[in-house]
Amino acid sequence: MEYRVTERGIEIESFAEFNLPETLDCGQCFRFSPEADGAYSGIAMSRRLRISDDGVHIVFEGVTEEEFLKVWVPYFDLDFDYGAVRCALAESDTVMRQAAAFAPGMRILRQDPWEALCSFILSQNNNIKRIKGLVSRLCEHFGEPMDGGYDFPKPEALAGLSEADLAPVRCGFRAAYVLDAARRVANGEINFEQLKFLPMEEARKMLMTIKGVGPKVAECALLYGLHRLDAFPVDVWIRRAMDKLYPNTVPEQFGEYAGIAQQYLFHYCRMNPELLKEDECKIFF
DNA sequence: GCCCAGGTATAAA
DNA sequence: TTTATACATGGG
């Protein structure tokens, strides 16, 4: 990844395979938000980041060379060729081609595994706007204060709490699930280093021993937190589309990039909800 | 009020 | 093994 050190921070040239809203506002993370000037600001990996893209340069504002290379190149997966994956997936069928073309600048972030697991436990039976609110309150109440915000709380900070303690988060029945996850991660029963390399089916099974973690949350933790691009797509919308598109097949058909395929489809469907309405019969039906 | 939201646990068929 | 329902909360 070519970059320049400037007085504003680290600059790279804008390129088609890195689009800020497509990457940071596609439902894979919940801690970034756009500002009035179009730049995105948020806290990830225990650091605040403001990042802007004027179409010529992408600027990691105030970031040092060391931090860029150590933190943000991995976080945004900048050394990986998403164009090649998009091309490969586009060959699989016409809907996948449209979905991949809809957000050509989407990348799969390498998020902190605990934050991803915990965020997607909170995500269940919820909408993205409210998920952001829950995550935000969890951080405000239990995360370390830092740089005009709060870090995502470590599992150890939550492991000793009670459901009553989590009341201000207003996450309802998910409180018990978050606590079980925090305890099991804190005491080492759930080991992310191990999950990173375990065969997919075993990794899913291990995560699903956590209360409130089913196949969907497990998939999200594996894809977004452990960068397992081969995680099975099990989102209900995607399953519905896939059952129609690919009858009598299994969702692993996208092989090592099943997770990326799922994220393209999810974003495409979420931004174009009419696609999944049977009576309007746009694409999937 | 009613419906739904990036689901899951639980019970029952 | 598959199918139905409750679950806390709040935005549309």
Side-chain angles (χ1 to χ4, degrees), chain A residues 56-94:
Chain A
V56 181
H57 295 111
I58 295 167
V59 182
F60 297 75
E61 298 182 8
V63 167
T64 65
E65 182 174 15
E66 184 194 5
E67 180 184 349
F68 176 71
L69 294 173
K70 191 182 74 180
V71 180
W72 302 119
V73 168
Y75 185 75
F76 288 99
D77 205 20
L78 290 175
D79 286 329
F80 186 75
D81 185 357
Y82 282 84
V85 174
R86 211 154 26 80
C87 288
L89 289 174
E91 290 175 6
S92 57
D93 68 69
T94 108

Side-chain angles (χ1 to χ4, degrees), chain A residues 11-22:
Chain A
E11 259 184 31
I12 62 177
E13 288 186 22
S14 297
F15 61 111
E17 284 73 31
F18 188 12
N19 177 281
L20 259 27
E22 286 172 14

